[in-house]
Amino acid sequence: MRKTILVVHGMRKGKLNETLLNFVNQTFEGEVTDYEVAFLESEVIQLEEVIQNAIDAGYKRIQLVPLLLFTASHYYEDIEALYDKCQQTYPNVHFILGKPLGTHPKMAEWVASQIATYSNEVNDETGIVVLAHGNARFDEPDVALRKICDKLSTPQMSCYPSMVYGELQFQKTLPPVAEKYNKLLVIPFFFYDGYLVNKTKRQIAALQLPNEIVYTEAINFHPILKEIVQVRIAECEEVPNVSDSIEPRT
């Protein structure tokens, strides 16, 4: 028997966890996948508990699919650390660890679709900025976001990566971009337009950049995420016994 555990960040308070559960249930509507949801930030349905329940129920193959955009602290220190621990503790159970969602090529397509949707805001005097969460201790998000921006940049249009945290934090990266353009189109590379996105918008406004700034919508559980989740699960299914699906650190 095999169980797929979808690992989401979640929140200790508020209605986000309910929204996440609805998204997952809609993703698997009509499917026969044997899955459970586990939260990293919640007082209930915690990842270690969900894994233990699956083991106690007799599952011999457990696939962990992180519903995270990039590999960073939650991936390595929460999910991968528990994955390693479980492998050592339960050698007769095959554990498979999947890749995050944001590194899939379809996410670059989502960014491109946002640019197309807001094409009436884009001209030669517009700088395109893709804004993500980032991490002060791991550079994988920076590397991944740079790849997306490099892929979408053309001689006529440049895309610039920017982060809330880490080396590419917007306080350092936005002012030089703002000097080149009259307008900035900022694309929030976040799951949803929530607290952090709104807080970051206020912080960017506090920089008092001399530009008109237009924000697109965040991902907001776009249908493309459902496709990517299915792909990540399929990748796990292809692993025979030992996980080789972990992205190498750079």
Side-chain angles (χ1 to χ4, degrees), residues 2-15:
R2 62 180 60 190
K3 172 77 74 175
T4 296
I5 299 177
L6 303 170
V7 188
V8 298
H9 184 280
M11 296 289 288
R12 294 190 179 276
K13 298 180 180 180
K15 296 183 178 181

Side-chain angles (χ1 to χ4, degrees), residues 78-99:
D78 296 325
I79 303 173
E80 187 181 74
L82 185 54
Y83 162 82
D84 291 338
K85 175 184 174 182
C86 288
Q87 281 191 313
Q88 295 175 7
T89 306
Y90 302 100
N92 294 326
V93 179
H94 298 300
F95 293 92
I96 313 298
L97 179 56
K99 300 176 184 178

Side-chain angles (χ1 to χ4, degrees), residues 136-155:
R137 295 183 293 112
F138 296 88
D139 67 351
E140 284 88 336
D142 295 348
V143 172
L145 194 64
R146 281 191 175 107
K147 287 182 179 178
I148 290 174
C149 291
D150 289 345
K151 181 177 181 179
L152 295 177
S153 293
T154 68

